[in-house]
């Protein structure tokens, strides 16, 4: 059975609630104050089954002061029943509600002229003409207009038939977005706890699922579910649902919050949008003005930043606008919203979100931002995806960020990413997407940086990986850095060796003279064994006093990088071979002193045949290298791993 949401709309006292009651038998005015005052204050709900169609009615208040409540319900409707009382005709909120429906992108509906029992044919004809004039050039032009009386029941059967017909024409909701339930009501049910209601605008909600209430980020579980007052295991997009939640108190829930899958969507505060200003707006929409934004069931204050050169949008015109909200909301591209002036409160514009997680555009960026918004607003999903990734530039976008930014289901996400990747517009690094242009630029810059380093330091093996990351990939995700290095290695541009990155072409082309120097230095340390010379002594022994100390140091560094000489302490170096021999002796000693494997400093000095000056730094080095471990003033010789 199809579920269709029908919203009433129209001026106060025009018979909306009476009409819903005449159709469904339900009095949607449930608050005592509503009964006392005889007006609707907040949203009311009722259902009607018409053969194969289930209509869920949202009855809205007509009072000027309660338009904000009307808006909390109007966002989710499929069909509008624009109610006009025959004795009064079109009135201010008839127009305002109708404007709201147009701005929210409602596509179907009908006109219902009520209280026909109170007027004669002549007046009725006049009101009909007025209604026709009102809906001219809109989605309601040519829609059925029915004359009824809730009092006498006249015309109700025809209205039901027309409603069913219109409902059947409503296109089915798609299931390509994850679940979103903007909450319009929250209450406690004795014995059950918190219950929230709303129109499920996308996806489905299943009993038992873990979800969250945004923007607060409250983790909740779906204990139970009702659709149109009947218990069910799942609610589907387009249905009015009541959800019993555990893990939350009613006092924590506010109208306008959104129930969504756990850790899927992210709240936002800056929206890039396309806005249509009503022809009836009293003045242009200007930058810096403070407005009320009604999105889903929420109302938030916002500052306007018009992204057009004129800095304003005239009544009857449209343009790109950035909305900087004063509090967080859940928002997704393509969602519609309404803008009302701060004071006096009246509907002045409406729009469509283009980028729900926008950044602030400054001065010169505005033109560029506008060009992107133009592309985003006219493109398909793949364009949208690619543009979002391009906008993230070298930072790249994670799969989870794309999910939050689009609201797409996993299936859609997978399909869109697969197709974009196969077109070659993007590059994927371990779940992080980056545009090919950004990726290639980063990679080019990495090569240039490494080559510049080789030029500066011809005797160094290469650039430290971490230095390269800090210099060129500081803003990029770590995955992108890794992917870029891997890519460059595959291309044969760079080689990474442990902590060092070098150009493939960079081999240490030592001059014959330097090669000889390097070999002599190595021999000095090898011959000295554990009687390590100071560096200055080594220079002398290597016969290199004529070379600059700095140069000799660079050549010496090659021995360290090659692991032939080991730095044990600040300026204390040993050749690898005598060190290894000493480690061997220590382990032999340990084997003879099982199970304690203990050695004290004097014994160590004896085995090594060295003075105390070297013994302590050597032991500390062995501690660091996990050859030994300190135990009081002795050492335990550790087993070789
Ligand atoms: N004679 C007559 N009176 C009607 C008819 N429909 C509604 N009324 C009366 O008009 C008054 C207002 O009706 P409601 O249904 O409360 O009007 P509403 O549009 O819901 O008003 P708000 O919700 O406050 O905007 C009530 O006193 C109704 O009894 C009708 O078809 N004929
Ligand atoms: Mg009412």
């Amino acid at each position: 059975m199809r579920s269709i949401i029908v919203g009433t709309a129209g001026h106060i006292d025009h018979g909306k609630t009476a009409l819903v009651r005449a159709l469904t038998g339900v009095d949607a005015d449930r608050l005592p104050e509503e009964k006392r005052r005889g007006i609707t204050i907040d949203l009311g709900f009722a259902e009607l089954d018409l053969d194969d169609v289930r209509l869920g009615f949202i009855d809205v208040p007509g009072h000027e002061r309660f338009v904000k409540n009307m808006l909390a319900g109007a966002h989710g409707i499929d069909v509008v029943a624009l109610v006009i009382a025959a004795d009064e005709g079109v009135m201010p909120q008839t127009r305002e509600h109708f404007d709201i429906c147009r701005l929210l992108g409602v596509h179907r509906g009908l006109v219902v002229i009520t209280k026909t029992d109170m007027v004669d044919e002549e007046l009725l004809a006049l009101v009909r003409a007025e209604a026709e004039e009102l809906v001219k050039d809109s989605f309601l032009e040519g829609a059925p207009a029915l004359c009824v009386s809730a009092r006498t029941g006249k015309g109700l059967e025809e209205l039901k038939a027309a409603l069913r017909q219109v409902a059947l024409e409503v296109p089915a909701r798609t299931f390509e977005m994850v679940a979103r339930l903007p909450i319009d009501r929250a209450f406690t049910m004795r014995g059950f706890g918190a219950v929230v209601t709303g129109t499920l605008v996308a996806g489905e909600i299943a009993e038992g699922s873990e979800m969250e209430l945004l923007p607060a980020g409250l983790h909740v579980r779906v204990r139970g579910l009702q659709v149109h007052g009947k218990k069910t295991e799942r609610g589907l997009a387009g249905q009015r649902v009541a959800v019993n939640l555990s893990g939350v108190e009613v006092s924590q829930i506010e109208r306008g919050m959104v129930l969504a899958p756990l850790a899927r969507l992210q709240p936002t505060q800056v929206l890039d949008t396309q806005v249509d200003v009503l022809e009836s707006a009293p003045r242009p929409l200007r930058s810096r003005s403070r407005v009320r934004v009604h999105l889903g069931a929420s109302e938030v204050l916002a500052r306007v930043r018009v992204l057009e050169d004129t800095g304003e949008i005239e009544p009857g015109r449209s343009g790109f606008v950035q909305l900087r909200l004063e509090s967080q909301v859940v928002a997704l591209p393509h969602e519609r919203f309404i803008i009302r002036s701060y004071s006096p409160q009246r509907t002045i514009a409406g729009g469509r979100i283009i980028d729900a997680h926008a950044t602030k555009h400054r001065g010169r960026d505005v033109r560029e931002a506008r060009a992107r918004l133009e592309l985003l607003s006219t493109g398909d999903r793949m364009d949208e995806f690619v543009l979002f990734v391009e906008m993230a530039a070298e930072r790249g976008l994670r799969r989870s960020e794309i999910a939050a930014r689009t609201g797409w289901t996993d299936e859609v996400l997978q399909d869109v990413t697969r197709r974009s990747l196969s077109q070659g517009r993007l590059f994927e690094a371990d779940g992080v997407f980056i545009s090919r242009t950004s990726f290639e630029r980063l990679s080019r810059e990495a090569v240039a940086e490494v080559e510049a380093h080789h030029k500066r330091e011809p005797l160094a093996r290469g650039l430290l990986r971490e230095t390269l990351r800090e210099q060129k990939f500081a803003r990029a995700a770590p995955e992108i850095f890794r992917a870029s290095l891997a890519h460059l290695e595959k291309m044969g541009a760079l080689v990474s060796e442990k902590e060092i990155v070098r150009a493939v072409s960079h081999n240490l082309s030592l001059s014959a003279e330097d090669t000889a120097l390097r070999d002599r230095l190595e021999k000095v340390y090898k011959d000295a064994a554990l009687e390590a010379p100071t560096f200055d002594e080594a220079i002398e022994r290597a016969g290199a006093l004529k070379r600059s100390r700095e140069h000799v140091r660079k050549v010496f560094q090659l021995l360290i990088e090659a692991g032939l000489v080991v730095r044990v302490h600040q300026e204390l170096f040993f050749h690898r071979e005598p060190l290894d021999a000493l480690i061997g002796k220590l382990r032999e000693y340990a084997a003879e002193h099982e199970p304690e494997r203990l050695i004290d400093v004097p014994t160590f000095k004896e085995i090594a045949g060295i003075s105390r000056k070297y013994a302590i730094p050597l032991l500390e080095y062995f501690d660091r290298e996990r050859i030994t471990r300190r135990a009081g003033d002795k050492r335990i010789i550790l087993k070789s791993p």
Side-chain angles (χ1 to χ4, degrees), residues 176-182 200-203 210-218 257-268 328-333 335 356-357 399-410 413:
E176 295 175 336
M177 307 276 274
V178 297
R180 248 180 320 127
L181 180 74
L200 187 54
V201 292
E210 304 287 324
M211 303 189 77
E212 69 183 335
L213 278 169
L214 294 170
L218 301 166
M257 282 184 170
V258 173
L259 185 65
L262 194 58
R264 185 75 185 201
L265 302 178
Q266 276 163 18
T268 174
Q328 293 192 315
V329 295
V330 172
L332 290 174
E335 252 189 289
H357 291 259
R399 191 179 288 275
S400 59
E401 289 174 294
I402 297 162
R405 203 151 161 167
T406 58
W408 296 337
T409 59
D410 288 339
L413 212 62

Side-chain angles (χ1 to χ4, degrees), residues 240-254:
R240 285 276 325 156
V241 297
V243 189
N244 180 202
L245 298 174
S246 62
V248 67
E249 301 281 326
V250 168
S251 59
Q252 296 171 275
I253 309 175
E254 280 166 32

